Amino acid sequence: MKIAHVINTLAGGGAEKVAIQLYECLKDFDEEFIITKNIIDYKIDFKPIILLDIKKKPFYMPAFWYEKNLLKKLQNTLNGFDVIISHLRDMNTRLCYLKAKNLLKPKLIIIEQVPKDLYSKKELELIKKLYKYANVSVGVSSKVVKNLEEYEAKNIHLIENFVDIKSIETMAKEEDITLEGFSFLSMGRLSPDKDFESLIEAFKIANIEESKLHILGEGSLKNKLQKLVKGLDLENKVIFLGF
């Protein structure tokens, strides 16, 4: 059996980590890891297939032509596989579209990580129209599974994200982080859905003497959050540890 693992990028997010771990768990099969853009924040010991190399030259393509070009590349690349495992909404909907048009022959498994209340109205319309064309739909929580049922997806399964404890213990030894006093520790992508703004504001309101807030993660809101910390005069109490 030839398996393709497909995700948009390997930026430092949780779904991307799950995709890598799943790939490593299935190494007894003939498999390939395929990403749309060559954005790779994780340390990996394999070479993914990159559909669009955006780092070699200034990259700009109108959205319509980008999607058309990407769909063609996905179709040409994936039709040599028996099974496709797709991660996250943007890739799930693209591959379901190809299935709907009978342009993709392999069996398609989509993995949904996000509940519907974090999607826009436009995204939900697309999901409801296309997810039913996947052969198997996996939700990572009971809430997501319920949403998949509402989308009329087929062959739905609940499979929670797994945790590689040994790798976490190994990585923990690589950094010497001292948590002094009463410390709060939060980890996640610095993006709107994680709502670190509320966490920082609550930490200010709590005003616990000699406490510190350590934040692990990178993301699009890092500069905004750092400005918020400065504005709240918390620069010595809120520590950004990075990815």
Side-chain angles (χ1 to χ4, degrees):
M1 183 183 294
K2 193 172 182 182
I3 302 174
H5 302 259
V6 191
I7 195 167
N8 202 33
T9 71
L10 284 179
E16 289 81 359
K17 182 64 175 176
V18 170
I20 293 169
Q21 290 175 328
L22 185 57
Y23 172 84
E24 291 174 345
C25 284
L26 298 176
K27 280 190 173 178
D28 288 342
F29 293 92
D30 181 6
E31 57 177 356
E32 294 283 356
F33 202 105
I34 299 165
I35 56 178
T36 300
K37 306 170 190 174
N38 55 335
I39 299 173
I40 303 173
D41 292 335
Y42 283 100
K43 295 178 182 178
I44 54 176
D45 60 0
F46 59 88
K47 188 174 182 180
I49 295 173
I50 300 167
L51 299 182
L52 298 173
D53 190 344
I54 64 173
K55 291 185 177 179
K56 284 188 175 180
K57 56 184 178 180
F59 184 88
Y60 173 75
M61 187 182 295
F64 172 78
W65 288 108
Y66 173 84
E67 286 296 330
K68 186 176 181 179
N69 184 41
L70 179 54
L71 287 169
K72 191 65 178 177
K73 284 181 176 289
L74 286 167
Q75 179 188 350
N76 291 340
T77 303
L78 294 171
N79 270 321
F81 291 86
D82 300 301
V83 175
I84 301 167
I85 303 175
S86 172
H87 300 261
L88 293 177
R89 194 276 311 166
D90 53 354
M91 191 55 67
N92 292 346
T93 49
R94 287 184 183 115
L95 297 181
C96 285
Y97 171 82
L98 291 175
K99 290 288 283 186
K101 297 294 183 180
N102 292 317
L103 297 174
L104 204 60
K105 296 177 181 179
K107 299 292 185 182
L108 174 61
I109 302 170
I110 60 172
I111 300 178
E112 180 56 77
Q113 301 269 357
V114 181
K116 71 175 186 180
D117 46 325
L118 294 179
Y119 285 129
S120 68
K121 184 179 179 180
K122 186 176 181 180
E123 287 173 326
L124 281 174
E125 288 174 355
L126 200 61
I127 287 169
K128 290 176 181 177
K129 184 178 179 181
L130 294 173
Y131 269 27
K132 60 188 176 184
Y133 290 100
N135 299 97
V136 177
S137 303
V138 175
V140 301
S141 70
S142 56
K143 184 175 182 179
V144 172
V145 164
K146 186 176 180 180
N147 293 159
L148 288 170
E149 291 170 352
E150 294 174 17
Y151 307 151
E152 297 182 0
K154 296 176 182 176
N155 202 2
I156 300 169
H157 298 268
L158 168 61
I159 305 177
E160 296 176 344
N161 287 336
F162 50 90
V163 178
D164 185 347
I165 299 297
K166 288 185 179 179
S167 70
I168 291 173
E169 289 174 341
T170 300
M171 288 187 289
K173 295 174 184 177
E174 295 175 0
E175 299 286 346
D176 184 14
I177 300 172
T178 302
L179 302 180
E180 299 175 347
F182 194 96
S183 295
F184 294 88
L185 182 66
S186 185
M187 178 175 66
R189 188 176 61 255
L190 306 182
S191 58
D193 53 306
K194 304 302 182 183
D195 196 15
F196 277 98
E197 289 184 34
S198 293
L199 173 64
I200 293 167
E201 290 167 355
F203 179 72
K204 173 69 175 181
I205 294 168
N207 193 28
I208 301 172
E209 189 176 351
E210 296 185 2
S211 64
K212 291 189 176 182
L213 169 61
H214 300 262
I215 297 176
L216 293 92
E218 294 286 349
S220 60
L221 294 185
K222 185 172 184 178
N223 290 337
K224 184 178 179 181
L225 293 173
Q226 287 176 327
K227 289 179 182 178
L228 174 62
V229 167
K230 185 176 181 180
L232 294 174
D233 194 26
L234 292 173
E235 289 178 286
N236 294 325
K237 301 195 71 174
V238 177
I239 302 159
F240 291 90
L241 295 172
F243 178 66

